[in-house]
């Protein structure tokens, strides 16, 4: 491969000047003439039938232009692989905070007041709030029509007459027999909490319904084409009548994949005949956007006499709240990870997504892997301790390597796990003496990519030689636009400065699944690469005609097209572009597509597939902590996060993605927890739900381990998600290393640590018995 | 009621209820969109501006409290292509991802460097604790502020 000149360089992102000067434009900044403001009335009940709804008093308030309720929408449902969610409760409300009506008025305050005047009569229904309650034999069903919802049966398999909307099975060999033969079997049970994305820009949209039936929606979304589909389904209109435009997005992390307010704003706009803007308050972000799935995970793992994992059983339950959103995909993806990145011999994995009467859980950085790896990596350390094997050694002995098969029977190549583990262990000082009260840990990281993810892109060369990449990629802060510009520039043979990436607009951009699952660099990057190669061929043809040479004899480098070996027979990129418009060939327009035709759906009984998803990412996370046994406070002293990002497109951005993900992981591990009381979020503010501030986050050493992907352009892989995955188990294991206590439930708050210390007993030096038992919400 | 604010060095008359938040005056009254609404309760810091040189969260400062005082927003610290050294450092260090917190973060940093031209890493982290960033993990933000301090120390800017 020729030496890279643009890919791999720490170029300055193109969007930073406007963001540094405050001139970035977000959906919340938009304003149209005659614009109205919309507000939502939300259900105060976790599960209730809506008996009667009277919008009359709201409509009488001066300044109110329109009121809509659930029955004003046609019967249309949206979702990822199961379409179970209406844009507004229709007949039944299934969580506290679900929209039941909405108002468009001249300003937010009038709209808010009007909402309070809407009369609603509810009949409360029995509700379920936990996984166990939802699975109970006599549990009320949230979705009696579950089996009638439209779904993708390859990914989503609901269970009849239950609250289980997806069950994924993986079976290899005879796990019971394998565990009977094992010299050591460790069982464990783990739990994780709901986490809120806390994107600083709340969900926002602006909708303008034209009188001719066309609808334009500006949306703060990661996925313009998903929003387009959700809006069209919710309103019963043709997809192409909906145009979605995405300005700058103030953070996503998975929270802005599907619609929140868009269909509501659109219908209000149609009714009022004016544009309608809607913005979540921070409170609404907590009670009515999505969250990370709480989980309940049970593991049984066996070791043979040589310290090899010989049997592995996992039962994994995700609490997806009242609607799936992306819950079926979270549970599907984590079936692939139920045994972590290890060779585990015989295996049985079951994952379930379960409905409860709570705010829906959806996509969140890592798609369920942070939950599952909390359990898997905590379990590995328990195994290592019981077997008397060094935890890093146990991981290295069992780590997946090139040529190994995953639990679904897929043969892997380009696995950088061992390198990552060794690098992280070395960097954290593994095996070296540590101060009293300090503990260290090194854990593995793995993440699957989404299955069957389609992307397409157009590269056009303008009359002046400037290159434009047209895609559906939203710039949610990850630097994806600059990465795509680098890939395009490299493939085309021009400078980074010559390439611009346009903001997504579904009216012009070709289809893309969205900025999720680390797919923009990998999937869309490939589409951009193909498009740039096509544009390059077209330019070479123009130059060949002009220079009277064969295309094969030409080269394109540094923006110059020339005959190989005869550098004076040349044409600048710009001249070639202009010539294509006036004389040769026609305007330069390359198109590229990425489709994963080799992906095979998991076998419904065994979960086996020669290729389950496009690729896996591997990494390692190491930490050193200091724990105060008197207060239970954990101080994270050192963080090393090594991830195989393939060929790094922009090393500065790779570091930034890893550091940001680790910080979010620190919040998840130590402090972030949405608390519920009978389905009600009891801490829906940033005061009661703290997220890490600058002093909470130690310096993070991000290490890019570059194992090129064999099938992607220049060997690139995405690296937005992996950084969050190993943080919690690394801290949990390091706390054990420091204090000798076993933790199974996140987050690792001082209360939980003190309780664990107390349970560990009086025999431990330094432990106190007079600590009052912490308040137990159960 | 008409309020007289001195915003970014210019005297502005705004017709607004003095009990409205300063953030609303800036965004809706004056069209200055760099200060952003993130939580309306003073926890996220996305709306940070300088009031007589001190960092305040504009969502919880009443417009009337700013009457007659000097307000500096992100729009007021540089013009055209020329940037404040703190802005340049943020761009060069890659300290910006989604950019929603950036204006507030930059203003907080400027106010820190006015108080303490050579801050330690710990001082930087403590100073910006009122400004949440969910994207960067703060590391490049802290590095950018340290770099800006060094640049200003070398005479790399006449803003501070």
């Amino acid at each position: 491969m020729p030496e890279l000149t643009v890919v791999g360089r720490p170029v300055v992102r193109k969007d930073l000047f406007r963001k540094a000067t405050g001139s970035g434009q977000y959906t919340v900044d938009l304003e149209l003439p005659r614009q109205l403001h919309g507000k939502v009335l939300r259900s105060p009940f976790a599960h209730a039938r809506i008996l009667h709804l009277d919008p009359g008093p709201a409509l009488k308030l001066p300044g109110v232009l329109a009121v809509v309720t659930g029955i004003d929408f046609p019967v249309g449902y949206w979702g990822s692989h199961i379409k179970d969610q209406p844009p507004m409760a229709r007949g039944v409300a299934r969580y506290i905070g679900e929209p039941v009506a909405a108002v468009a008025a001249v300003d937010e305050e009038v709209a808010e007041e009007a909402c309070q005047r809407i009369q609603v009569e509810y009949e409360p229904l029995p509700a379920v709030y936990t996984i166990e309650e939802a699975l109970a034999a006599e549990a009320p069903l949230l979705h009696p029509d579950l089996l009638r919802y439209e779904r993708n049966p390859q990914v989503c398999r609901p269970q009849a007459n239950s609250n289980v909307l997806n069950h994924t099975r993986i079976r290899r060999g005879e796990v019971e027999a394998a565990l009977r033969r094992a010299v050591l079997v460790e069982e464990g049970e783990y739990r994780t909490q709901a986490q809120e994305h806390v994107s600083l820009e709340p969900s926002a949209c602006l909708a303008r319904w034209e009188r001719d039936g066309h609808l334009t929606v500006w949306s703060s979304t990661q996925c313009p084409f998903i929003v387009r589909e959700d809006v069209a389904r919710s309103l019963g209109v043709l997809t192409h009548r909906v145009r979605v435009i995405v300005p700058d997005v103030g953070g996503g992390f998975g929270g802005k994949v599907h619609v929140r307010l868009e269909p509501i704003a659109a219908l209000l706009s149609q009714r009022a005949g004016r544009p309608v803007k809607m913005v979540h308050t921070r409170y609404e972000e907590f009670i009515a956007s999505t969250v990370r799935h709480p989980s309940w995970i049970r593991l049984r793992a066996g070791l043979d006499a040589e310290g090899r994992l010989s049997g592995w059983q996992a039962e994994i339950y995700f609490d997806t709240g009242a609607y799936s959103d992306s819950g079926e995909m979270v549970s599907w993806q984590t079936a692939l990870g139920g045994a972590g990145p290890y060779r585990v011999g015989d295996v049985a994995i079951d994952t379930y997504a379960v409905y409860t009467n709570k705010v829906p859980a959806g996509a969140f950085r890592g798609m369920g892997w942070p939950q599952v790896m909390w359990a898997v990596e905590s379990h590995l350390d328990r195994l290592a301790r019981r077997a008397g094997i060094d935890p890093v050694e146990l991981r290295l002995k069992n780590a997946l390597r090139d040529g190994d098969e995953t639990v679904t029977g897929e043969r892997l190549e380009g696995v950088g796990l061992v390198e990552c583990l060794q690098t992280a262990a070395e960097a954290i000082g593994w095996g070296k003496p540590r101060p009293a009260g300090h503990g260290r840990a090194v854990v593995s990281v793995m993440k699957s990519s989404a299955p069957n993810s389609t992307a397409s892109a157009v590269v056009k060369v303008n009359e002046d030689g400037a290159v434009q990449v047209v895609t559906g990629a939203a710039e949610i802060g990850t630097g994806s636009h600059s990465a795509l510009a680098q890939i395009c520039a490299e493939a085309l043979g021009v400078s980074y400065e010559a390439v611009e990436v346009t903001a997504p607009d579904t009216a012009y951009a070709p289809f893309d699944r969205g900025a999720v699952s680390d797919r923009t660099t990998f999937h869309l990057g490939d589409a951009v690469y193909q498009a740039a190669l096509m544009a390059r061929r077209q330019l070479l043809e123009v130059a060949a005609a002009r220079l009277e040479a064969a295309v094969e004899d030409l080269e394109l480098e540094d923006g110059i097209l020339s005959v190989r070996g005869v550098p004076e027979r040349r044409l600048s990129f710009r001249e070639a572009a202009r010539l294509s418009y006036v004389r040769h060939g026609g305007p330069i327009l390359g198109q590229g597509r990425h489709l994963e035709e080799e992906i095979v759906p998991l076998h419904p009984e065994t979960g086996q597939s020669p290729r389950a998803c496009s690729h896996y990412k591997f990494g390692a996370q190491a930490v050193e902590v200091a724990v105060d046994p008197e207060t239970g406070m954990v101080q994270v002293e050192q963080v090393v996060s090594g991830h195989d990002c393939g060929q790094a497109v922009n090393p500065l951005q790779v570091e930034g993605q890893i550091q940001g993900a680790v910080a979010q992981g620190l919040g998840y591990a130590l402090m972030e927890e949405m608390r519920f009381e009978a389905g009600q979020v009891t801490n829906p503010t940033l005061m009661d739900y703290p997220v890490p501030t600058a002093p909470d986050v130690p310096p993070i050493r991000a290490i890019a381990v570059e194992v090129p992907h064999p099938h992607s352009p220049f060997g690139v892989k995405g690296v937005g998600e992996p950084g969050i995955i190993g943080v919690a188990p690394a801290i949990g294991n390091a706390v054990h290393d420091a204090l000798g206590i076993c933790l199974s439930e996140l987050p690792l708050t001082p209360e939980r640590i003190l309780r664990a210390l107390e349970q560990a007993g009086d025999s431990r030096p330094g432990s106190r018995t007079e600590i009052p038992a912490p308040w137990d919400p159960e | 009621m008409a309020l007289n604010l001195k915003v970014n060095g210019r005297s502005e008359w705004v017709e607004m209820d003095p009990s409205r938040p300063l953030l609303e005056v800036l965004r809706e009254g004056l069209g200055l969109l760099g200060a952003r609404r993130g939580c309306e309760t003073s926890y996220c810091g996305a709306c940070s501006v300088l009031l007589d040189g001190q960092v305040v969260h504009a969502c919880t400062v009443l417009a009337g409290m700013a009457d007659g005082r000097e307000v500096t927003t992100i729009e007021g610290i540089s013009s055209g292509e020329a940037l404040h050294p703190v802005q340049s450092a943020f761009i060069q260090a890659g300290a910006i991802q989604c950019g929603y917190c950036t204006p507030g973060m930059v203003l907080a940093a400027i106010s820190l460097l006015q108080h303490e031209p050579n801050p330690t890493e710990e001082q930087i982290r403590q100073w910006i604790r009122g400004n949440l960033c969910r994207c960067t993990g703060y590391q490049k933000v802290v590095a950018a502020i340290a770099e800006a301090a060094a640049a200003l120390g070398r005479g790399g800017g006449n803003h501070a």
Side-chain angles (χ1 to χ4, degrees):
Chain A
M1 188 184 278
E3 206 179 312
L4 300 176
T5 59
V6 189
V7 165
R9 278 180 43 217
V11 298
V12 170
R13 276 168 54 173
K14 292 163 187 285
D15 54 333
L16 298 197
F17 184 91
R18 67 172 186 269
K19 288 176 174 174
T21 53
S23 45
Q25 198 174 46
Y26 301 83
T27 302
V28 292
D29 299 329
L30 302 179
E31 216 175 283
L32 290 173
R34 304 176 69 240
Q35 164 185 308
L36 300 172
H37 295 267
K39 280 284 169 193
V40 173
L41 176 68
R42 300 179 179 282
S43 169
F45 291 100
H47 200 189
R49 208 179 306 286
I50 300 170
L51 299 176
H52 182 68
L53 206 154
D54 179 14
L59 281 163
K60 288 198 190 82
L61 191 69
V64 171
L65 276 293
V67 178
V68 297
T69 72
I71 54 168
D72 296 319
F73 288 85
V75 183
Y77 296 84
W78 58 265
S80 290
H81 296 270
I82 178 165
K83 315 294 183 188
D84 65 351
Q85 187 158 181
M88 191 173 260
R90 190 189 171 89
V92 179
R94 297 184 174 90
Y95 69 95
I96 296 171
E98 182 166 8
V100 295
V103 173
V106 289
D107 65 35
E108 284 185 315
E109 274 156 28
V110 173
E112 188 66 52
E113 194 187 332
C115 280
Q116 300 314 317
R117 293 190 181 199
I118 296 170
Q119 308 278 317
V120 193
E121 202 185 319
Y122 296 95
E123 179 199 343
L125 298 170
V128 289
Y129 305 116
T130 63
I131 291 165
E132 291 91 329
E133 285 172 17
L135 293 174
E138 300 301 312
L141 298 184
L142 271 82
H143 295 267
D145 289 338
L146 177 57
L147 292 187
R148 282 199 282 277
Y149 292 141
E150 186 184 330
R151 67 188 160 89
N152 171 4
Q154 292 177 353
V155 169
C156 184
R157 297 191 180 87
Q159 288 181 347
N161 298 317
S162 80
N163 287 312
V164 176
L165 72 132
N166 198 10
H167 173 206
T168 307
R169 283 165 59 95
I170 290 175
R171 297 288 184 276
R172 263 165 96 78
E174 296 295 332
V175 76
E176 287 301 335
L179 290 171
R180 272 196 304 274
R181 283 194 306 272
V183 297
L184 188 160
V185 174
E186 176 74 13
E187 294 189 26
E189 200 169 310
Y190 302 86
R191 284 176 195 272
T192 67
Q193 78 282 29
Q195 182 185 25
E196 161 57 26
H197 303 81
V198 194
S199 297
L200 279 195
E201 182 201 21
S203 295
C205 69
L206 171 58
R208 184 178 64 198
W209 199 303
E210 314 290 353
R211 288 175 64 183
D212 66 3
H214 283 81
L215 168 67
T216 305
V217 179
W218 288 263
S219 168
S220 172
T221 181
Q222 304 173 231
C223 303
F225 287 91
I226 290 179
V227 165
R228 183 173 74 163
E229 186 199 329
D230 289 353
V231 168
R233 296 181 71 96
S234 299
L235 298 168
V237 299
L238 295 169
T239 308
H240 75 272
R241 291 280 179 98
V242 183
R243 175 181 177 190
V244 177
I245 302 171
V246 186
D248 287 327
V249 178
F253 314 114
K256 295 175 176 171
V257 171
H258 282 287
V259 287
R260 302 277 163 257
L261 298 165
E262 290 84 350
I264 299 172
L267 192 62
L268 285 170
S269 172
Q270 188 197 36
R271 293 290 166 94
R274 290 166 67 168
V276 175
K277 180 170 163 179
M278 299 183 81
V279 182
H280 267 176
T281 61
R282 183 56 56 189
Y283 170 70
E284 289 177 303
E285 283 288 281
F286 277 100
I287 65 156
S289 74
T290 50
V291 301
R292 180 186 296 289
H293 286 76
S295 70
W296 173 34
I297 298 165
R298 296 159 72 178
L299 299 178
R300 283 168 76 207
L303 278 186
D304 69 13
E306 279 78 51
R308 287 187 305 242
L309 291 165
S310 53
W312 188 281
Q313 189 187 7
E315 253 177 55
I316 302 169
Y317 298 89
F318 289 103
D319 173 354
T320 203
Y323 298 99
S324 184
D325 193 280
S326 305
E328 80 294 330
M329 183 40 61
V330 165
S331 61
W332 183 91
Q333 274 208 30
T334 47
L336 310 177
Y342 302 111
R343 298 181 282 204
V344 289
D346 294 358
V347 62
I349 296 169
D350 292 89
T351 66
Y352 303 86
V354 179
Y355 288 123
T356 62
N357 291 105
K358 298 210 299 275
V359 56
F364 196 147
R365 196 178 216 159
M367 285 299 272
W369 285 76
Q371 292 94 310
V372 171
M373 292 298 278
W374 158 247
V376 169
E377 291 302 302
S378 298
H379 210 64
L380 256 279
D381 264 38
R382 291 189 192 183
L383 275 167
R385 285 194 294 270
R386 273 196 51 203
I389 304 175
D390 175 275
V392 173
E393 196 191 313
L394 181 68
R395 286 176 172 82
L396 288 172
K397 189 187 278 279
N398 291 282
L400 289 171
R401 295 162 193 256
D402 283 0
D404 283 341
E405 284 189 8
T406 65
V407 290
T408 55
E410 176 174 348
R411 200 165 287 283
L412 294 171
E413 45 185 334
V415 182
L417 177 59
V418 168
E419 293 90 321
C420 289
L421 281 167
Q422 286 165 338
T423 306
E426 165 84 27
I428 205 74
W430 185 253
K432 298 212 174 100
R434 50 180 167 67
H438 282 230
R440 294 192 190 116
V442 181
V443 304
S444 307
V445 170
M446 182 183 185
K447 170 73 179 60
S448 59
S449 60
N452 296 84
S453 193
T454 300
S456 50
V458 167
V459 168
K460 61 177 183 166
V461 182
N462 293 292
E463 307 92 293
D464 62 355
V467 180
Q468 222 173 339
V469 180
V470 185
T471 75
E475 176 55 87
I476 61 172
T478 58
S480 59
H481 280 194
S482 290
L484 294 175
Q486 285 178 275
I487 290 171
C488 176
E490 189 73 57
L492 203 47
V494 297
S495 71
Y496 167 69
E497 289 71 25
V499 182
E500 288 291 336
V501 179
T502 59
D505 179 338
T506 59
Y508 306 116
F511 183 85
D512 178 58
R513 192 76 197 148
V516 292
S517 206
D518 278 346
R519 56 177 301 293
T520 302
T521 306
F522 183 87
H523 298 75
L524 193 52
D526 188 32
V528 167
Y529 176 72
Q530 305 297 340
L533 289 185
M534 185 188 279
R536 180 188 167 99
R537 272 196 303 280
Q538 292 171 9
L539 278 158
L540 287 170
E541 281 160 15
V542 172
R546 186 64 169 190
L547 299 172
E548 297 177 345
V551 168
E552 307 79 63
D553 295 334
L554 294 181
E555 54 191 12
L556 167 47
E557 248 175 66
D558 296 334
I560 302 290
L561 296 118
S562 61
V563 180
R564 198 171 288 111
V566 197
E568 59 278 13
R569 284 174 66 193
R570 58 193 276 160
L571 204 57
S572 76
F573 188 88
R574 188 180 174 148
E575 283 170 291
R578 193 184 54 80
L579 281 171
S580 75
Y581 278 80
V582 298
R583 190 174 290 269
H584 302 288
I588 305 296
L589 198 59
Q591 59 146 311
R593 293 175 294 192
H594 179 93
L595 180 67
E596 285 149 350
E597 288 161 299
E598 327 84 272
I599 288 177
V600 180
L602 302 186
H603 185 279
E605 295 304 317
T606 65
Q608 298 302 295
S609 159
R611 190 148 182 220
C613 65
S614 78
H615 65 292
Y616 290 92
K617 287 159 283 189
F618 297 92
Q621 181 71 50
V623 300
E624 179 174 331
V625 302
V627 198
D628 183 341
E630 298 296 314
T631 63
M633 287 295 291
V634 176
Q635 181 75 35
V636 181
E637 301 281 336
Q638 273 199 76
V639 182
V640 178
S641 204
H643 296 281
D644 170 15
C645 60
Q647 163 68 48
V649 180
N650 181 337
L652 202 58
Q653 295 306 317
V654 169
E655 270 182 18
Q657 283 301 304
I658 294 173
Q659 289 162 353
V662 167
Q664 219 166 29
L666 288 169
Y668 183 56
L670 295 170
M671 60 180 85
E672 295 182 38
E673 177 175 27
M674 286 179 71
R675 291 191 296 270
F676 292 86
E677 181 103 35
Q680 172 110 45
V681 183
T682 59
N683 58 340
T685 69
L686 289 174
M687 181 174 74
D688 298 316
Y689 180 97
V691 299
T693 62
D696 297 323
V697 182
I700 297 159
R701 189 159 158 215
I703 300 175
V705 178
E706 298 179 85
V707 182
H709 191 283
H711 307 301
S712 73
F714 316 112
V716 304
K717 298 173 190 169
V719 73
E721 293 188 290
I724 197 172
I725 291 173
V727 180
I731 293 177
N733 290 342
V735 168
H736 186 282
D737 191 40
L739 298 183
I741 49 170
C742 242
L743 299 150
S744 56
E745 193 167 344
L746 287 177
L748 307 173
T749 55
E751 290 94 323
R752 285 213 175 88
I753 286 169
L754 291 178
R755 202 183 313 171
L757 273 172
E758 202 180 40
Q759 281 163 4
D762 309 5
S763 58
R764 292 178 24 77
S767 73
R768 303 189 306 179
T769 48
E770 72 272 24
I771 298 166
W775 177 72
D776 187 339
E778 302 302 316
Chain B
M1 161 177 178
L3 298 169
N4 180 224
L5 272 63
K6 201 169 173 199
V7 180
N8 298 331
R10 286 177 46 163
S11 177
E12 303 271 9
W13 287 94
V14 200
E15 202 56 50
M16 206 125 190
D17 179 348
S19 68
R20 306 301 301 177
L22 174 60
L23 180 63
E24 213 174 287
V25 176
L26 296 172
R27 288 184 64 85
E28 285 157 38
L30 298 171
L32 295 169
L33 301 175
R36 309 199 178 278
R37 186 162 89 168
C39 71
E40 314 104 42
T41 50
S42 198
Y43 285 101
C44 78
C47 63
S48 299
V49 297
L50 303 182
L51 189 60
D52 290 338
Q54 303 290 323
V55 188
V56 295
H57 292 169
C59 70
T60 43
V61 171
L62 302 184
M65 292 163 67
D67 194 26
R69 297 168 72 183
E70 201 151 335
V71 180
T72 306
T73 71
I74 191 73
E75 289 87 352
I77 60 159
S78 64
S79 64
E81 302 264 299
L83 293 178
H84 189 285
V86 171
Q87 290 172 307
S88 306
F90 269 60
I91 292 174
Q92 290 303 323
I96 304 171
Q97 288 189 23
C98 86
Y100 204 77
C101 74
T102 305
M105 200 68 97
V106 166
L107 288 166
I110 288 173
S111 117
L112 164 64
L113 299 181
Q114 280 166 355
H115 283 82
E116 174 51 68
N118 295 303
T120 63
E121 181 181 331
E122 185 53 26
Q123 282 174 310
I124 296 173
R125 286 185 184 269
Q126 289 296 337
W127 190 274
I128 60 170
R129 69 183 307 161
N131 293 78
L132 296 183
C133 171
R134 194 62 158 164
C135 295
T136 63
Y138 303 102
Q139 187 150 330
K140 294 192 188 301
V141 173
V142 173
I145 296 171
E147 176 49 39
L152 285 161
R154 292 192 299 266
N158 50 9
H159 293 265

